[in-house]
Amino acid sequence: MKNIYKITLFFFALSILGCKKDLLDKTPKDRLSPATFFQNESQCKQALIGIYNAIQPNATPSHFYQFDYMSDNGYCQDSWQGSREIGEWLTNTSSWAPYAKWTMDFTIISRANEFLQDISNATVSETVKTQMSAEAKFLRGYAYTDLITYFGDVPLITKVLALSEAYVSRTAKSDVLTQIISDLNDAAADLPVSYSGTDVGRATKGAAIAYKAKVLLYNQKWTEAAQAAQDVIDLGAYSLFSNYETLFDEAHENNVEVIFDIQYISTTQAQPWPSSALSLSSWPTANVTADLINSYYMTNGLPITNANSGYDEQDPFKNRDPRLAASVVLPGSSFGSSTFIPSVDQVPCGARPRKYAALGIADVNNCSLNTILMRYADIYLMRAEALIESGSTEQEIYTLIDKVRARVNMPTVESVEGVGLTQSQLRNIVRHERRVEFYNEGTRYADMLRWQDASLVHDVYGYDKALLSNPASPATWTFKQIKVETRTFDASKGWLWPIPQADIDINKNLLPNNPGY
């Protein structure tokens, strides 16, 4: 699909408001019109790509890595990027991040609705109509999954609205969820299991079922979520990529683990500014918290807080879960062609992300590294979590988590945590596994929202950079954790974002806003 993106993107255009009636009745001469555009498969594909194009970040705070900054995994000290106030629980109705997400998701939805209306009359085969309509429904379901996760009740719009219908009210989250499941079921029924050639990257049957599992899990439909995850497994289309460290390299894109991603291509369709390469490797704001680093177990499977783990606080990265070094630029580790020395780097916490940093890239503003949105490891852990929350403590839960650990040669649950574990113990294990497996993939903050665990909102700690100037001498290489930022959970706001003020100013029917706003 990287090559497909070379096609000029089609953007749906609405008639100019306020014109005379006879002008509105005329076919536009100076721009593309749905009435004249859907004449062949190529044009329909261009319109479809217009929907796919909208899943790319539309603003700085909507980039995936910003959502790790909002969580206990990371920190961005520059307020202008939009994630700091979210992490500090100071979100308000004028905050940039909620506005960017709201706008991005409704752009996807409006384009999908326009596409579904117009392709019905397109002069293409029914086979093409069926598949492309399924892709549009998948993307609409994808966007609504995002919206109800962050905003709760949102307007449910499944058709192109007339101006007289535009002042919509919010729809109950449960009703939106029903529509999401319907869209994803329709998509799964008509999408292929896989593609080849330039079509790789388009939505598949597996993607539709995987997002169905996700939205069911996020909405505590445990039995249904577990079954949807099993349905993905039963497709036999995916497996874990053998090397966790290189899973996120451009050389291994579209590998056997990827279920759905955002596809980029150098120059023609590079990552929107600021790219992950620019932000994670060059900007002084890509902080990894000490809390995240501390959460990775030792290679013997024990947490660093266990007296028998062998952890040395002055040699803190020795014998740690391999996912730590693969995901984080640690003090004294390689940083491109150099060694990372915190005292001369500007990130306050003294550690940077490695995953998605695309270290060594020639032009950080021309990064074509795909962003993985859904991968097979998540299917294993979603099914495990759904089974746990449904009340099961069966062996399959252990097996699912063990498969994810085995890729990086970490010990099994049975060999370290033991067998016959309670629901609470298994819950803690799967939540830990999600954190270390998916660091810097934009999932942690959403996990915090759905788990509603206020203990995860706490002060940010990093390393005292002044003590980390020369790894050759203990006198100049001492690890001491210091407080970097204060974060306090605001219970009055709970776990939802506000409806953006800019939209409320236009449409008062969106009120009342979420609690605390």
Side-chain angles (χ1 to χ4, degrees), residues 22 168 201 359:
D22 61 333
V168 295
L359 297 175

Side-chain angles (χ1 to χ4, degrees), residues 277-510:
L278 172 63
S279 182
L280 303 182
S281 69
S282 298
W283 281 5
T285 52
N287 289 275
V288 179
T289 65
D291 184 70
L292 181 276
I293 293 172
N294 292 342
S295 71
Y296 287 85
Y297 291 165
M298 302 294 287
T299 52
N300 57 21
L302 295 174
I304 65 172
T305 53
N306 188 305
N308 297 317
S309 68
Y311 175 70
D312 181 351
E313 64 180 12
Q314 292 307 319
D315 192 5
F317 314 128
K318 182 179 180 181
N319 295 330
R320 300 290 292 278
D321 182 332
R323 288 172 291 191
L324 173 58
S327 303
V328 180
V329 178
L330 299 163
S333 70
S334 65
F335 184 44
S337 59
S338 61
T339 299
F340 182 70
I341 305 297
S343 66
V344 296
D345 191 84
Q346 293 178 291
V347 289
C349 287
R352 286 180 172 272
R354 183 179 300 280
K355 186 189 292 182
Y356 281 114
L359 297 175
I361 190 173
D363 182 358
V364 294
N365 290 305
N366 185 24
C367 182
S368 54
L369 179 60
N370 291 353
T371 302
I372 302 173
L373 300 176
M374 177 68 71
R375 58 188 179 89
Y376 195 50
D378 208 353
I379 300 301
Y380 283 153
L381 295 184
M382 284 196 294
R383 177 162 170 81
E385 183 177 352
L387 291 172
I388 293 166
E389 297 301 341
S390 68
S392 172
T393 57
E394 63 193 77
Q395 175 58 40
E396 184 190 356
I397 296 168
Y398 296 76
T399 302
L400 290 164
I401 298 171
D402 289 345
K403 286 181 178 180
V404 176
R405 290 183 173 186
R407 191 225 314 255
V408 290
N409 296 314
M410 287 294 289
T412 64
V413 175
E414 297 93 322
S415 65
V416 180
E417 288 93 344
V419 296
L421 301 176
T422 66
Q423 181 190 50
S424 178
Q425 289 172 317
L426 288 169
R427 177 185 294 128
N428 290 336
I429 290 170
V430 79
R431 290 185 178 186
H432 164 267
E433 201 64 29
R434 287 192 63 81
R435 187 180 193 185
V436 298
E437 176 70 19
F438 301 120
Y439 163 67
N440 207 38
E441 297 180 47
T443 63
R444 178 65 174 178
Y445 183 72
D447 281 347
M448 290 170 61
L449 293 184
R450 66 188 181 89
W451 293 334
Q452 299 188 9
D453 183 354
S455 71
L456 301 180
V457 183
H458 50 70
D459 294 344
V460 173
Y461 280 79
Y463 295 118
D464 187 339
K465 300 197 310 174
L467 303 179
L468 295 170
S469 60
N470 181 7
S473 169
T476 55
W477 199 253
T478 300
F479 287 89
K480 178 183 178 182
Q481 295 181 18
I482 59 172
K483 182 177 174 180
V484 176
E485 183 203 33
T486 299
R487 288 179 173 177
T488 304
F489 176 66
D490 186 345
S492 69
K493 294 178 179 178
W495 301 95
L496 291 175
W497 282 3
I499 307 302
Q501 188 63 45
D503 284 79
I504 291 173
D505 289 342
I506 297 170
N507 179 15
K508 301 299 183 184
N509 289 337
L510 295 173

Side-chain angles (χ1 to χ4, degrees), residues 103-401:
T103 303
M104 181 176 73
D105 286 330
F106 274 112
T107 297
I108 296 169
I109 291 162
S110 64
R111 291 184 183 182
N113 288 341
E114 181 77 50
F115 181 88
L116 288 166
Q117 171 183 281
D118 297 327
I119 197 171
S120 63
N121 298 317
T123 52
V124 295
S125 70
E126 289 302 315
T127 299
V128 170
K129 286 183 183 180
T130 298
Q131 180 178 322
M132 290 190 177
S133 295
E135 291 177 77
K137 287 185 177 181
F138 165 78
L139 292 166
R140 185 170 66 185
Y142 166 91
Y144 266 121
T145 295
D146 205 33
L147 283 170
I148 65 172
T149 298
Y150 288 88
F151 299 99
D153 299 345
V154 296
L156 178 58
I157 305 170
T158 59
K159 66 176 185 177
V160 178
L161 299 178
L163 183 58
S164 60
E165 302 173 296
Y167 295 96
V168 295
S169 300
R170 296 166 71 185
T171 304
K173 180 180 177 180
S174 58
D175 292 335
V176 181
L177 176 61
T178 298
Q179 180 62 47
I180 293 170
I181 299 304
S182 176
D183 275 348
L184 295 177
N185 281 340
D186 288 350
D190 292 326
L191 289 173
V193 173
S194 62
Y195 296 94
S196 61
T198 58
D199 286 327
V200 171
R202 296 171 70 171
T204 61
K205 183 184 295 291
I209 303 172
Y211 273 91
K212 177 183 174 181
K214 176 179 178 177
V215 74
L216 288 168
L217 182 76
Y218 279 31
N219 288 276
Q220 301 181 358
K221 307 293 184 181
W222 310 126
T223 302
E224 299 97 321
Q227 183 57 57
Q230 185 61 50
D231 290 343
V232 178
I233 295 170
D234 290 344
L235 287 175
Y238 309 102
S239 60
L240 297 181
F241 185 67
S242 60
N243 190 319
Y244 183 87
E245 183 174 8
T246 61
L247 169 61
F248 308 95
D249 290 352
E250 190 164 3
H252 298 115
E253 290 177 341
N254 303 316
N255 63 65
V256 294
E257 187 165 347
V258 177
I259 297 176
F260 189 61
D261 62 359
I262 303 177
Q263 300 260 320
Y264 296 110
I265 185 168
S266 179
T267 306
T268 306
Q269 191 76 27
Q271 288 184 15
W273 187 92
S275 74
S276 62
L278 172 63
S279 182
L280 303 182
S281 69
S282 298
W283 281 5
T285 52
N287 289 275
V288 179
T289 65
D291 184 70
L292 181 276
I293 293 172
N294 292 342
S295 71
Y296 287 85
Y297 291 165
M298 302 294 287
T299 52
N300 57 21
L302 295 174
I304 65 172
T305 53
N306 188 305
N308 297 317
S309 68
Y311 175 70
D312 181 351
E313 64 180 12
Q314 292 307 319
D315 192 5
F317 314 128
K318 182 179 180 181
N319 295 330
R320 300 290 292 278
D321 182 332
R323 288 172 291 191
L324 173 58
S327 303
V328 180
V329 178
L330 299 163
S333 70
S334 65
F335 184 44
S337 59
S338 61
T339 299
F340 182 70
I341 305 297
S343 66
V344 296
D345 191 84
Q346 293 178 291
V347 289
C349 287
R352 286 180 172 272
R354 183 179 300 280
K355 186 189 292 182
Y356 281 114
L359 297 175
I361 190 173
D363 182 358
V364 294
N365 290 305
N366 185 24
C367 182
S368 54
L369 179 60
N370 291 353
T371 302
I372 302 173
L373 300 176
M374 177 68 71
R375 58 188 179 89
Y376 195 50
D378 208 353
I379 300 301
Y380 283 153
L381 295 184
M382 284 196 294
R383 177 162 170 81
E385 183 177 352
L387 291 172
I388 293 166
E389 297 301 341
S390 68
S392 172
T393 57
E394 63 193 77
Q395 175 58 40
E396 184 190 356
I397 296 168
Y398 296 76
T399 302
L400 290 164
I401 298 171

